[in-house]
Each structure stands twice: as C-alpha cells, then as structure tokens.
Amino acid sequence: MSNFTLTMIKPDAVSKGLTGTILKDITEAGFSIIALKLTSLTLADAQRFYSVHQGKPFFEDLVNFMTSGPIIAAVLKKENAVENFRKLIGATNPDQAEEGTIRKKYAESTQRNAIHGSDSDENAAIETHFHFAEREIFSFL
Ligand code: IDP
Ligand code: MG
C-alpha cells in the first residue's frame, strides 16, 4: 500500500489551464497515473476531505476555495509515493517551497497552492477511496 498517493490539482490551477502542464511535471518525475478524473467537490465533500483541519482559522476559506471550481483528482504510483510526491509539490506555503517544486512554480498563496498530496499511506488509501471506485483504479499501470 506504500506505492501510491492521491493528488488533487486545485481550482486555482485548473482554472488557469495548468492541468496538462502539472500532469506532465508529475509523469516526468516518474509517477504513473493509475486513476484520473475532472470533478468537483460539494461543500459537504470538502468539509469531509479536510475534516482534520476543522476548527482551524483557515478551514472555512479552504472549503469555499476547494468548492469554487473543478478539480483534477488522480492516484499516482511510484516507490515511496507519499514522500516522493510531497517532495515534488513542495511546502504548503509557496514562499517556503523549494525551487522547481510544483507549488513554487504554480501556487498563488498558501491557500491557493495549486495541488494536494496525501500526507501518509493511511490517508492516501482513505483519499483514494473518497474519489475513486475500485473499477476506476488501474494498479497495473
Ligand atoms: P498540505 O496541503 O501541504 O498538506 P495542510 O496543512 O494539510 O497542507 O493544509 C491543507 C490545505 O489548507 C493547504 O494545502 C492549503 O490550501 C490550506 N492551508 C493550510 N494552512 C493554511 C494557512 O495558514 N492559511 C490559508 N490556507 C491554509
Ligand atoms: Mg495536508
């Protein structure tokens, strides 16, 4: 279970037409796309997805942002996927993200930071099943 992670390209990046560019960065970094969809979150979906952050000062703005437009959801496969993908996307605050990372290149702000990556193998599994049915996941890819 440690070779996959869940990503979302967030509404800021999708609305700017960065979907293809970011997917290219991801595959060039050696990740295989094993599930993929253009979708959106209802308010209830976003509150559930980010429930760990409930009560934090940024929570309400975060769920409003995440429901403001379409997102891309994808499951990515690579060895040590969670850690390797967090490295590829960079720090939550793009000002603190390393040069060359996806957030450094495409994020607008700490909130509108272009992309999500699971933070643990356990959450990668939970978040994958949040977005995808088994028949939408192609683990052999
Ligand atoms: P992560 O996405 O790097 O794992 P988390 O701490 O899990 O960061 O926060 C989830 C998301 O909530 C962030 O990606 C960002 O969009 C938003 N967020 C986190 N901290 C702040 C903040 O201090 N201000 C505004 N938005 C924030
Ligand atoms: Mg997180």
Side-chain angles (χ1 to χ4, degrees):
M1 293 290 273
S2 65
N3 67 338
F4 71 93
T5 191
L6 183 286
T7 189
M8 296 184 292
I9 303 177
K10 296 186 179 184
D12 57 321
V14 172
S15 69
K16 284 188 280 192
L18 290 169
T19 296
T21 304
I22 291 175
L23 289 176
K24 183 162 183 276
D25 283 1
I26 290 170
T27 53
E28 282 182 351
F31 292 86
S32 302
I33 296 168
I34 65 168
L36 180 70
K37 65 172 77 167
L38 178 65
T39 184
S40 62
L41 297 176
T42 65
L43 201 55
D45 290 331
Q47 286 168 341
R48 188 156 61 93
F49 190 91
Y50 284 112
S51 58
V52 65
H53 296 302
Q54 202 132 22
K56 293 186 186 167
F58 61 83
F59 182 73
E60 197 176 336
D61 285 346
L62 172 63
V63 297
N64 287 334
F65 161 56
M66 289 300 296
T67 57
S68 67
I71 61 161
I72 296 285
V75 184
L76 307 173
K77 190 170 88 173
K78 190 182 181 177
E79 78 289 345
N80 200 12
V82 165
E83 191 183 333
N84 279 323
F85 193 67
R86 296 285 306 197
K87 265 186 209 139
L88 179 67
I89 70 178
T92 309
N93 178 346
D95 293 338
Q96 289 161 15
E98 279 187 43
E99 216 54 56
T101 60
I102 289 174
R103 283 169 167 169
K104 186 66 169 190
K105 289 197 279 186
Y106 311 119
E108 293 173 21
S109 65
T110 299
Q111 180 195 80
R112 299 170 66 85
N113 61 357
I115 195 157
H116 168 83
S118 306
D119 65 3
S120 66
D121 292 341
E122 187 192 359
N123 284 334
I126 292 168
E127 293 172 0
T128 291
H129 294 108
F130 179 98
H131 280 292
F132 295 99
E134 284 303 331
R135 66 183 163 76
E136 297 176 301
I137 303 167
F138 300 89
S139 303
F140 58 86
L141 286 173

